[in-house]
Amino acid sequence: MADMFQPLILGIGGTSRPNSTSELSVRCALKAAEAMGARTRLIDGALISGLPLYVPGRSERTEEESLFVEAVRDCDGVIVASAGYHGSITGPVKNALDLLEDLARDERPYLDGCAFGAIVTAFGWLACGTTLVTLRSIAHALRAWPTPYGAAFVPEGRMFEDDGTAVDAKVGGQIALVARQVVDFARWRQAGLSVFQG
């Protein structure tokens, strides 16, 4: 794996509660990406929950907002994990993704050319489905490529160790599949760009 492209995969997820299930699920995904030789970075619930409400047209940015935007600007793929609140994504996740309007006029606008892996955890299967559809719709709006597979599960008991290791093998396998598709896509895209740029 030494000469293989090592994409930077950004994990975004969590709530204001430390070690929430959605945050641990994105940690799990990043561990899987690292096992495939990717570099990873986590934007956790503490950071996204502390971001000011996105206001269109406001150009001043806090240190945390700038950190988030730069992390997305530098990444080769993203994995977003959200809890399902009342049938949709959480406010902090939506607010963070709205901030990516700062990337609209970049050479690579928004998430153009990036794979977007989606993970949803909710206390009902209906909320899992609608929240997953919402994340995929946002991915399209940001010009990203939603992975063919999206992981969704209803938490039952203890799902993860504190480092993100899945206790439930089935859930761990779902999340690893999302991570693999994001990493694979980033590598395929890099290989294609290398061919076209000679």
Side-chain angles (χ1 to χ4, degrees):
M1 256 191 250
D3 20 358
M4 189 178 291
F5 174 59
Q6 296 180 294
L8 175 60
I9 307 303
L10 183 67
I12 303 166
T15 66
S16 54
R17 181 172 58 85
N19 291 326
S20 64
T21 305
S22 54
E23 182 176 311
L24 291 173
S25 67
V26 84
R27 287 182 189 275
C28 182
L30 293 181
K31 283 173 65 93
E34 288 168 6
M36 291 177 272
R39 298 170 294 133
T40 65
R41 184 167 182 189
L42 173 67
I43 301 292
D44 63 14
L47 191 143
I48 61 173
S49 295
L51 294 176
L53 186 63
Y54 173 72
V55 178
R58 181 175 63 83
S59 57
E60 301 82 19
R61 293 288 174 246
T62 65
E63 183 179 343
E64 290 76 17
E65 286 175 307
S66 297
L67 184 150
F68 175 71
V69 171
E70 285 306 313
V72 176
R73 186 173 274 137
D74 291 342
C75 77
D76 300 297
V78 296
I79 299 171
V80 180
S82 178
Y85 284 2
H86 305 120
S88 191
I89 64 174
T90 66
V93 170
K94 178 65 165 71
N95 186 55
L97 295 175
D98 286 344
L99 186 57
L100 300 186
E101 186 61 25
D102 283 9
L103 306 178
R105 290 169 184 79
D106 278 15
E107 184 178 345
R108 180 191 82 180
Y110 302 111
L111 287 167
D112 187 52
C114 285
F116 186 111
I119 302 170
V120 173
T121 172
F123 286 112
W125 287 110
L126 179 61
C128 282
T130 55
T131 304
L132 188 58
V133 168
T134 299
L135 279 176
R136 289 176 179 276
S137 296
I138 291 170
H140 282 294
L142 292 172
R143 305 187 193 181
W145 295 79
T147 57
Y149 189 81
F153 59 94
V154 174
E156 294 175 349
R158 187 160 176 258
M159 306 293 292
F160 300 97
E161 304 288 355
D162 288 345
D163 66 350
T165 301
V167 173
D168 184 308
K170 184 177 178 184
V171 168
Q174 290 180 34
I175 291 171
L177 178 54
V178 171
R180 181 174 62 77
Q181 290 183 347
V182 172
V183 173
D184 283 349
F185 183 93
R187 287 190 170 132
W188 294 332
R189 184 170 189 274
Q190 180 62 28
L193 289 173
S194 299
V195 169
F196 285 113
Q197 291 169 356

